[in-house]
Amino acid sequence: DAIRYLAKKYGIELEETGADPIFDAAEQEKESLYLVNQFASQFFQKQLLETDEGKSVGLSYFKDRGYREDMIQLFQLGFAPTDRTALVKAATAKGYSIELFQRLGLVNKYDQDFFHDRIMFPIHSPNGKIVAFAGRYLQKTANSPKYINSPETEIYNKSKVLFGMYFARNAIRKQNKVYLVEGYTDVITLFQAGIENVVASSGTSLTIEQIRLIRRYTHDVTMLYDGDKAGVKAALRGVDLLLQEDLNVRIVQLPESEDPDSYIRKFGAQAFHDYSAAEEKDFVLFKTGLLLEESGNDPIRKTQMLKDIVSSIALIPDTIKRSVYIKECAQRFGISEKIFVEETQKVIRQQITQKRQGQIQTALDQSQSEKAPESWSEWDKNPDKVVIDDDFQERDVVRVLISMGHLPYDAEAQISVASYMLTELQDHLDQFNNSNYRSLIEHYAQLFEEGNATPEKLVNDADPIFSQMVINFITSPYEYSENWEKKWEIFLQNQLPPAQNQKEEAKQVILRLRLRKIMKLIKENQEILSKSKDLETTEIDRHLKAHQMLVQMRNEVASELSTILL
C-alpha cells in the first residue's frame, strides 16, 4: 500500500507481476545466510556479556577502551571463545545446517569454529543486515594476525562495504559530510563521542564501489588518519579515486603517533572537535603544501612534485573546480597558470588515450573469441561509409573540426573553431561510441597543441585509416552552387553560406552531442526509477529531482537547436 501511494504521488506507473520462482529461491537462499549471521552475532554477544571468559577477556577490553554498554549493544560487539567447537555445538543444538556456516566462513572444513579467542565486530550492509565479521586477537605474543575477516560470500563483497555505514547514514545525510577513518575502533570511539557521520575502510585501500556508496549520501569527505608519515601516505593513496568520482576531499592530520581513537581517549571529545575544525584542510591544497615542503629548494624534486599534483587535479571531472585548483596551485608553486593548464590538459589527454587503448584492446580480445561484427571489415575498407547508432553525429563533429578548425570562432576574442570545440569536447569525448573518431580528435588535439593542426598534416602523418577519413571530410561530394544567387537570385535567409558559417556549424554539432548525452542520462535515470522497489524513499526523491533537472536541460538545448522533442 505504501509503495502504491508513493507511485501515485510521484506519477510512477507500477507493474505488478508474480514472483519469479528462480529469483524467489535465490532470495530465500540469501535470507538463510543472513539469518545464520544473525544467529552467530547473537552467540558472540552472549559469550561476551554472559560468560566468565567473555567478561574477563572481551568485555574488560572494551571497558578499558572506554566503550559504554549502549555502544557495545548498538554495534553488536561480541566475543568468540577459546573453545573451537562452541559455535558449532550451539548451531547444531538449534537445528542449523553447518553447511551454511561453512559457506559463510564461520566454520572450517573440519567442522571447527573459524573465529576463536577474539573480540568480534559484526559488519553490516547499508540496510542493517550482518554480512560478515571481523575478529581481533588480544594476545600480543600470538603469531596469529591481529585481525581476521570473513571470506567473501554471496552476501559479502568487501570492496562494496564500509564499516559503520548503516549507523552513520542518517547523520551523513543530515550533516552532508562523512568522516573516513581506518579502523573499527576509530568508528566506535568517534560515534560514542557524538561524531556519528563516520565510516571506516577497515584498513584496506578504498575502492570505486565504496566511494560510490559514500556518494549516495554526500559529496563531502573528510579523511582522518594517523599523524605519522605512514598515515599521511595512506591518505594520499586513497584520494585520487575520490577526486575522480567528483567528491570534495579534506584531510585532518592528527598529531604524530595519534589516531582518532587514541586522540579522543587521551584528550576528550571536545578537544577532538576543536582540533578537527581548526586543522581541516582542502586535500589538494594540503597535498600541494606537503609536497612543496618535501621538495625544498631542489628544482628537480619540485618538478616531480608538480607532476604529482597535476596528475591528481587532472582526475577531477568538474572543469570549474579543476580551474580553481589550477589557479591556487600555480600561485603556490610560483609558476605560470598557463603552464599549469597545459600540463593538466596533457595529462587528461594521456588518461583519455590510455582509457581508449584499454577499450580497443578489450574489443580486440573479444573479437578474437567471438565473431566480429560485419561493420568491422567494412570499416577497414571504407571508414567513411559505416554508420552505427549515433555515428552520424560523431562524424559531423569530426567533419567540422577537421574542415573548419583553423577558421575563427570569435575573431574579437581570438578564439578559433578548434579551440572552442576541443574545450567543449573534453566533457563529451567519453560519450563517443566510435573509437576511430575519438582517436582522430585526440590526434588533432595533440597537433593543435603543437600549432600544426592542418588537414595537410593530418593526411600526411596520420594512420592510413585516419588519412582516408580526413580526405573524405575535406573533399565533400556536395558543394554550394553560386548559381543560386547569380543566376536565379535565390538567397540564403537563415544562415550564412557554408564557407562562412563555421561558428554556427561548430555550435550546432556540439549542442547536438550535448543533447544526446542528456537524453542518455535521462534514459539511465528512468531505468533506475523503474526499479524503485529496490530504492529508499530519499533515493527515489533524488532521482526524480535529477529527472526534472535533466528534462529542463534537454528542453533548453533543444530550444537552442530549434528541435522538436517527441
Side-chain angles (χ1 to χ4, degrees):
D1 290 341
I3 291 172
R4 291 190 184 96
Y5 168 80
L6 288 170
K8 184 178 179 181
K9 180 180 179 181
Y10 290 107
I12 299 171
E13 184 178 350
L14 285 180
E15 180 182 353
E16 299 188 39
T17 59
D20 185 328
I22 297 175
F23 174 79
D24 207 31
E27 286 301 302
Q28 289 180 6
E29 187 79 5
K30 282 187 177 182
E31 196 59 38
S32 297
L33 297 176
Y34 289 128
L35 289 172
V36 167
N37 271 343
Q38 185 61 35
F39 172 83
S41 176
Q42 292 170 350
F43 170 80
F44 293 138
Q45 290 175 70
K46 187 174 182 179
Q47 294 295 313
L48 177 75
L49 300 173
E50 298 180 14
T51 68
D52 291 339
E53 184 184 22
K55 290 177 183 178
S56 63
V57 180
L59 192 58
S60 63
Y61 171 82
F62 290 132
K63 295 284 187 181
D64 288 344
R65 296 195 80 96
Y67 292 166
R68 301 192 306 263
E69 286 189 19
D70 61 324
M71 290 294 107
I72 293 172
Q73 292 178 1
L74 177 68
F75 284 90
Q76 299 171 281
L77 305 180
F79 177 74
T82 307
D83 180 3
R84 297 201 61 175
T85 60
L87 178 60
V88 171
K89 290 176 182 176
T92 304
K94 289 291 183 179
Y96 280 91
S97 167
I98 297 303
E99 188 267 335
L100 293 177
F101 284 76
Q102 290 174 333
R103 279 170 59 182
L104 290 168
L106 290 165
V107 174
N108 64 24
K109 63 181 180 180
Y110 304 110
D111 289 344
Q112 295 178 323
D113 298 352
F114 178 70
F115 295 101
H116 60 96
D117 198 19
R118 290 176 181 269
I119 55 171
M120 301 298 294
F121 299 86
I123 299 171
H124 299 79
S125 69
N127 62 7
K129 293 182 178 181
I130 297 174
V131 294
F133 294 91
R136 187 188 192 281
Y137 209 74
L138 297 180
Q139 304 297 327
K140 295 181 180 178
T141 58
N143 294 323
S144 182
K146 186 176 180 180
Y147 279 98
I148 57 173
N149 288 66
S150 299
E152 293 200 346
T153 64
E154 295 99 313
I155 61 173
Y156 175 56
N157 184 331
K158 63 182 178 181
S159 68
K160 297 181 179 180
V161 177
L162 287 165
F163 181 75
M165 180 57 82
Y166 170 63
F167 305 101
R169 57 184 184 166
N170 290 334
I172 294 171
R173 283 197 191 103
K174 186 176 180 180
Q175 299 180 41
N176 193 27
K177 176 180 180 178
V178 64
Y179 285 101
L180 185 61
V181 296
E182 284 189 284
Y184 308 107
T185 56
D186 293 329
V187 169
I188 300 170
T189 301
L190 287 170
F191 196 96
Q192 181 172 275
I195 304 169
E196 298 183 359
N197 53 328
V198 56
V199 298
S201 58
S202 306
T204 60
S205 299
L206 276 173
T207 65
I208 286 290
E209 291 89 349
Q210 289 171 331
I211 293 169
R212 288 174 181 169
L213 175 59
I214 290 173
R215 202 173 61 183
R216 287 170 56 184
Y217 304 100
T218 183
H219 278 69
D220 290 351
V221 179
T222 295
M223 307 180 78
L224 297 171
Y225 280 90
D226 302 358
D228 57 14
K229 289 185 178 180
V232 174
K233 287 181 179 178
L236 294 178
R237 283 195 299 272
V239 112
D240 279 352
L241 281 177
L242 289 165
L243 295 175
Q244 188 174 325
E245 290 299 309
D246 202 21
L247 297 184
N248 306 313
V249 188
R250 296 177 179 82
I251 188 168
V252 174
Q253 184 179 6
L254 294 169
E256 193 168 350
S257 75
E258 297 288 356
D259 58 38
D261 176 58
S262 66
Y263 190 95
I264 286 179
R265 287 193 290 122
K266 190 179 294 184
F267 301 107
Q270 187 57 50
F272 179 85
H273 274 285
D274 296 341
Y275 182 87
S276 60
E279 295 296 323
E280 187 177 73
K281 296 179 176 67
D282 176 274
F283 180 79
V284 174
L285 302 183
F286 167 81
K287 183 177 180 179
T288 302
L290 185 69
L291 296 181
L292 275 172
E293 184 181 333
E294 286 186 11
S295 64
N297 295 321
D298 185 344
I300 297 176
R301 181 72 172 151
K302 191 173 182 179
T303 301
Q304 293 171 339
M305 297 302 182
L306 173 61
K307 290 181 178 179
D308 194 350
I309 289 291
V310 166
S311 66
S312 290
I313 293 176
L315 293 170
I316 300 171
D318 188 301
T319 52
I320 296 175
K321 189 191 299 183
R322 199 163 61 219
S323 65
V324 170
Y325 281 128
I326 287 173
K327 187 179 185 69
E328 182 69 27
C329 292
Q331 291 177 354
R332 294 196 175 201
F333 271 90
I335 63 173
S336 166
E337 188 176 334
K338 181 182 177 183
I339 294 175
F340 221 116
V341 169
E342 290 172 351
E343 288 299 312
T344 304
Q345 290 178 342
K346 190 184 297 182
V347 173
I348 291 171
R349 283 193 291 273
Q350 289 171 353
Q351 291 169 352
I352 292 172
T353 301
Q354 289 171 0
K355 185 178 179 181
R356 296 291 165 261
Q357 288 172 345
Q359 291 172 338
I360 292 169
Q361 187 59 51
T362 301
L364 288 172
D365 293 340
Q366 290 176 348
S367 70
Q368 290 172 0
S369 59
E370 303 172 3
K371 182 183 177 183
E374 293 179 6
S375 59
W376 193 276
S377 57
E378 287 298 318
W379 175 261
D380 290 335
K381 296 173 186 175
N382 191 342
D384 197 43
K385 284 189 177 179
V386 180
V387 179
I388 305 170
D389 297 332
D390 295 320
D391 267 23
F392 66 95
Q393 288 183 341
E394 296 174 6
R395 183 185 185 283
D396 221 23
V397 170
V398 183
R399 176 187 65 80
V400 174
L401 180 64
I402 297 296
S403 62
M404 301 182 177
H406 61 287
L407 299 174
Y409 179 83
D410 187 333
E412 187 175 335
Q414 295 184 333
I415 297 174
S416 66
V417 168
S419 180
Y420 162 75
M421 292 188 68
L422 290 174
T423 301
E424 292 293 328
L425 285 170
Q426 282 185 6
D427 294 330
H428 295 286
L429 208 53
D430 281 345
Q431 303 298 318
F432 273 58
N433 294 324
N434 194 310
S435 60
N436 288 283
Y437 290 151
R438 285 195 301 263
S439 299
L440 183 54
I441 291 173
E442 288 160 6
H443 184 64
Y444 184 97
Q446 184 177 348
L447 292 177
F448 179 77
E449 185 181 347
E450 296 169 359
N452 197 17
T454 63
E456 293 79 10
K457 177 70 174 174
L458 285 163
V459 169
N460 292 331
D461 75 349
D463 182 279
I465 291 180
F466 291 168
S467 180
Q468 183 59 51
M469 289 169 64
V470 173
I471 292 171
N472 291 335
F473 286 136
I474 61 178
T475 56
S476 172
Y478 308 108
E479 292 184 7
Y480 176 72
S481 173
E482 295 180 351
N483 285 335
W484 288 103
E485 295 180 7
K486 291 181 178 179
K487 188 173 181 179
W488 305 106
E489 295 185 355
I490 298 175
F491 302 93
L492 288 171
Q493 300 293 320
N494 298 318
Q495 68 177 52
L496 296 169
Q500 304 169 31
N501 200 40
Q502 70 272 11
K503 180 174 182 177
E504 190 61 27
E505 285 243 43
K507 183 180 177 183
Q508 291 276 319
V509 294
I510 293 296
L511 284 173
R512 289 193 190 99
L513 201 65
R514 190 176 299 163
L515 180 61
R516 190 188 78 178
K517 180 178 180 180
I518 294 170
M519 296 291 281
K520 183 179 179 183
L521 290 173
I522 289 174
K523 183 179 178 182
E524 291 173 353
N525 196 55
Q526 287 176 328
E527 288 174 353
I528 294 172
L529 280 170
S530 69
K531 302 172 184 176
S532 57
K533 65 179 182 179
D534 300 325
L535 303 176
E536 297 179 4
T537 304
T538 52
E539 288 184 86
I540 293 174
D541 192 42
R542 181 161 58 85
H543 285 292
L544 286 168
K545 289 178 179 176
H547 179 75
Q548 293 174 349
M549 182 185 70
L550 287 168
V551 168
Q552 182 181 350
M553 291 168 62
R554 179 200 66 184
N555 293 344
E556 288 173 356
V557 175
S559 177
E560 285 191 73
L561 285 167
S562 300
T563 299
I564 298 173
L565 294 171
L566 299 179

